Amino acid sequence: MSTADKSASAEEPQAPSDSAKRRSSDMSGSRRSSFAKRGSALFAAARASFVRSRGNGGASVERLRGTSGSKYEGYANIHRGEGDFDAFNIFSFCCGKKSELYFVLIKGFHCFVFENEDSKAPKYAIELINRKAVIQPSHDTIIPHVPHPGAAHDTGYTTVHLETSLGDVEYKFTFANMENTATEFCNAVAVASNDASAEKVRERLGHDKLLSKRASMKFANAVGTAKAKDQPDAPVTSAEVMAGMPAVNTGTI
C-alpha cells in the first residue's frame, strides 16, 4: 500500500460499532424518559395546586400551554347564548350578563376563558366535542366599545358563533381582524371537536389506554372538565321574557 493510500485510509471515518450505537440509543431513551418523568411531576404538582385552590389557581395560561403549546390563543369579546347583546341590552344588564373581553386558549378538548392573560386559572371552560364554529356575515358582527389589544380604532371585527351539532348558538365570540384570528379559532375548534369525538370512540372500544398522552394534555383535559361546570348560564332571551309575561286581556267587559 502506498503512502497516499495509507494516509487516505487513516483519514477515513470509522463506522460506529453496534455496541456504540446501542449505548447512544440507550442514552437518548434515558434522556427522553427523564424529561417525561420531570414533565409528569410538574403537571402533577400543578394539578394538586389547582385542586387545593378549588379551581382558582395552578392553571395559568403558561401552565396550560405546557411545552407543546396550544391550538389557539387570543382575545375575544364573548357573549353567552343566542340573543344579541346590543338588541337585548336591558335583559343582559338586569341578569348580570354582558359581552366582555377575555383571553381565550384552546387546548385538548376545551376552550378556556381567562379574565386576562395573567390569570392564575381560567374563569370557565367550554367543552368542544360536537361543537362547530361558524363565521357570521359582516352585518351581523358585534362591534366592541373598546378596541382589542393591538387593534387600531379602524380595525374591523368578526363575530363567530359556537354552535351545537343541532345548530343552537351557545356562545358568540368577536375577534379583531388581525392575522385571520377568527379563521384560526374556527380551525382550532374543528380540530379539538374531532379529537374529542375520536377519544370517545376509543373509550367505547376500550382503546383509550393504548395511546400515551402528553402530561400537559392530560392536565388540560382535567382542568377543562372541572372548569366546564363554571360556565355562565345562558341569558334570558326576549322570547322567553315575552313567554313569561301574563297575557293581556283584550276582551270587553
Side-chain angles (χ1 to χ4, degrees), residues 153-193:
H153 285 281
D154 58 350
T155 299
Y157 290 84
T158 298
T159 293
V160 174
H161 287 182
L162 184 65
E163 302 177 357
T164 67
S165 57
L166 298 177
D168 296 325
V169 178
E170 289 193 328
Y171 289 90
K172 293 183 179 183
F173 293 78
T174 297
F175 301 94
N177 292 341
M178 299 185 296
E179 300 180 2
N180 298 319
T181 303
T183 301
E184 291 174 358
F185 176 80
C186 293
N187 292 339
V189 169
V191 171
S193 180

